[in-house]
Amino acid sequence: MKISVIGCGYLGAVHASAMAELGHDVVGIDIDAHKIEQLAAGKPPFYEPGLPEILTSAMASGRLRFSTDIAEAAGAEVHFIGVGTPQKAGSHAADLTYVDAAIQSLLPHLAAGDLVVGKSTVPVGTAARLAAVIEASGSGATLAWNPEFLREGFAVKDTIRPDRLVYGVAPGEAGEQATALLNEVYASAMAAQTPLIVTDYATAELVKVSANAFLATKISFINAMSEIADASGANITELADAIGFDVRIGRKFLNAGVGFGGGCLPKDIRAFTARAEELGRGDSVAFLKEVDAINLRQRQRVVAMTLQALDKPVYTAKVAVLGLSFKPHSDDVRDSPALDVAVQLRGLGADVVATDPQGIENSRLRHPQLTYSTSIEETLRNADAVVLVTEWAEFKQIDPVSAATLVRVPIIIDGRNTLDAAAWRAAGWTYLGLGRP
Ligand code: UGA
């Protein structure tokens, strides 16, 4: 099938490459000439395991190309919209400028029978509004909403083998045609019996934001429990294991620590709250404000634990920060709890040296005031305290015995509850976890 993908950021670049990998003929379009240049050269502008490989193989097959010219979308039957919906400046609402601009620029190039497919995360009601815009253009194209559930770090796998597909379609024949086209796009997932929900626009939009809201709530729930565990001497990891065995609860997303970040969960729960308030239903999701507050509190908690553990004033201390990206397997530092902790400690006057396998470059752009090192050894050398805030395998594998010989004071604050506390203590470290005695 001929497909265009408008927006070649995280979502779009992966989607375009994956669709070409699945055998479709794809053009990826973005207004950012630099990004397009990099992609066309086979180099993704961000770190995502597996993406360089499928990008290169799809381009070599001739099925994938990139352009800054929206006119190149003409001739495709399906046009995916994968542009960003960041948090609006000065507000909690989502900024829909890029989605609106993408649709407007696409309109002149649409033909009868084309299907425009929204993948961006949008406030409920957006798809209905955009469907009316497309209809009014008289092109004869229609709209579907097909939310994306990919996780950074596993984006290629999640796109090629999604755990479910959701189509929000118009009622009647237009919806049936949209479903048939999307089934063709996702033929390989269909063949693999991937669960499919065909629904209306509003439900499809809400599925996405409510899924992210649920995941955020789960993380904040366990973090709230870890605060209680700290106050009572209980062990949050054992608690999570024990409640996680209940299949109704499940163990995933019950890791207490410095909390969630990234380009999705934080902004999505805020945008959801803002949209619910617009709909006069702010009370229904008022708990998400608490979810956000609990989450942000974990960053303060890790900073406070560090200050308390130090044997000298923070402005005379060297603090080694292990981790900058918002989670492992990613170079994304948007709203990263790890970077936030590093910045806060630096703001308090600490000599912060931070390391991360992938996140240094992006962190340096935002916070040039921090000292970065690509060497774990250099980062640890003479440190008065070590703070682990992203659970990269490289950090989990640090040998506590040899690490103890590098630092000035062997204190480790495990902001991800990921280390073997007993092993670190046995090597002479003061080990501090969150809700972990
Ligand atoms: C999230 C969702 O998981 C995806 O399903 C969704 O498609 C995506 O947002 C999106 O909206 O595009 P992602 O942002 O890649 O994916 O990251 P997650 O794996 O969800 O992790 C989010 C944050 O939660 C990370 O900072 C992670 O460290 C933290 N986390 C996760 C915890 O603190 N504890 C846990 O137990 C799990």
Side-chain angles (χ1 to χ4, degrees):
M1 270 185 113
K2 284 189 160 207
I3 290 176
S4 82
V5 177
I6 294 117
C8 289
Y10 213 97
L11 168 59
V14 173
H15 198 69
S17 308
M19 291 303 108
E21 178 74 10
L22 290 173
H24 300 300
D25 184 359
V26 183
V27 58
I29 299 170
D30 200 294
I31 51 172
D32 183 336
H34 181 58
K35 202 177 275 175
I36 289 300
E37 221 170 88
Q38 285 178 288
L39 286 165
K43 293 194 183 97
F46 49 84
Y47 172 76
E48 179 62 38
L51 181 58
E53 290 80 354
I54 61 162
L55 179 62
T56 333
S57 72
M59 285 181 52
S61 73
R63 287 193 305 269
L64 177 63
R65 63 204 163 86
F66 292 96
S67 173
T68 51
D69 185 3
I70 188 75
E72 298 266 336
E77 298 156 83
V78 176
H79 308 268
F80 284 101
I81 307 289
V83 295
T85 52
Q87 190 173 326
K88 225 186 241 174
S91 148
H92 275 179
D95 182 351
L96 296 178
T97 316
Y98 304 110
V99 172
D100 287 329
I103 296 283
Q104 283 305 329
S105 65
L106 182 60
L107 286 179
H109 308 290
L110 293 174
D114 282 9
L115 183 66
V116 179
V117 184
K119 280 202 117 14
S120 309
T121 303
V122 292
V124 59
T126 307
R129 177 173 67 75
L130 295 175
V133 170
I134 293 170
E135 196 179 347
S137 74
S139 61
T142 55
L143 180 82
W145 214 264
N146 169 222
E148 180 56 57
F149 304 106
L150 67 79
R151 299 158 298 165
E152 293 189 17
F154 303 92
V156 172
K157 181 204 149 282
D158 286 353
T159 307
I160 289 179
R161 279 275 163 272
D163 59 4
R164 79 282 209 192
L165 284 164
V166 175
Y167 307 164
V169 298
E173 208 183 310
E176 281 163 26
Q177 279 166 6
T179 303
L181 274 174
L182 283 169
N183 281 345
E184 221 179 300
V185 170
Y186 295 123
S188 81
M190 291 288 107
Q193 313 280 306
T194 305
L196 167 66
I197 309 280
V198 181
T199 182
D200 53 81
Y201 292 144
T203 307
E205 293 166 310
L206 267 180
V207 165
K208 172 65 198 241
V209 282
S210 59
N212 277 0
F214 190 85
L215 294 172
T217 304
K218 214 173 166 188
I219 299 167
S220 278
F221 173 83
I222 202 69
N223 279 329
M225 292 307 108
S226 81
E227 292 174 328
I228 305 292
D230 258 349
S232 58
N235 183 320
I236 197 63
T237 307
E238 289 169 10
L239 182 147
D241 289 344
I243 63 173
F245 278 119
D246 184 332
V247 290
R248 294 169 304 173
I249 296 174
R251 180 61 177 84
K252 289 182 182 156
F253 272 65
L254 281 185
N255 294 323
V258 70
F260 59 80
C264 303
L265 262 46
K267 68 126 175 124
D268 286 354
I269 58 170
R270 292 172 198 149
F272 193 7
T273 310
R275 181 63 182 139
E277 282 165 0
E278 276 173 17
L279 292 170
R281 293 288 191 277
D283 283 354
S284 309
V285 291
F287 70 94
L288 290 177
K289 290 186 178 165
E290 197 54 39
V291 166
D292 199 7
I294 294 168
N295 188 53
L296 294 176
R297 202 152 71 215
Q298 304 316 309
R299 304 173 184 193
Q300 310 303 328
R301 191 171 162 203
V302 169
V303 170
M305 282 165 70
T306 311
L307 298 188
Q308 210 175 359
L310 285 168
D311 67 354
K312 53 176 6 185
V314 62
Y315 49 86
T316 64
K318 172 180 171 181
V319 180
V321 175
L322 301 177
L324 292 163
S325 54
F326 83 108
K327 66 172 190 182
H329 313 295
S330 170
D331 65 356
D332 196 344
V333 299
R334 286 176 294 170
D335 209 340
S336 167
L339 181 57
D340 200 2
V341 165
V343 168
Q344 285 193 44
L345 287 167
R346 178 75 191 93
L348 291 165
D351 169 17
V352 171
V353 179
T355 189
D356 189 283
Q358 295 293 337
I360 293 181
E361 215 176 301
N362 284 337
S363 301
R364 204 194 300 275
L365 288 173
R366 285 161 199 245
H367 293 288
Q369 79 276 23
L370 296 179
T371 304
Y372 300 99
S373 172
T374 50
S375 150
I376 294 179
E377 223 178 272
E378 277 311 305
T379 305
L380 296 181
R381 197 178 306 283
N382 289 327
D384 297 297
V386 180
V387 186
L388 187 158
V389 263
T390 313
E391 69 277 36
W392 283 98
E394 286 86 337
F395 303 151
K396 293 203 242 182
Q397 284 155 10
I398 292 174
D399 171 26
V401 176
S402 53
T405 65
L406 292 170
V407 297
R408 192 186 70 84
V409 189
I411 297 171
I412 178 121
I413 291 101
D414 181 1
R416 290 290 181 183
N417 283 351
T418 194
L419 300 174
D420 178 346
W424 281 73
R425 286 188 178 126
W429 288 78
T430 300
Y431 171 93
L432 301 167
L434 282 82
R436 225 181 162 195

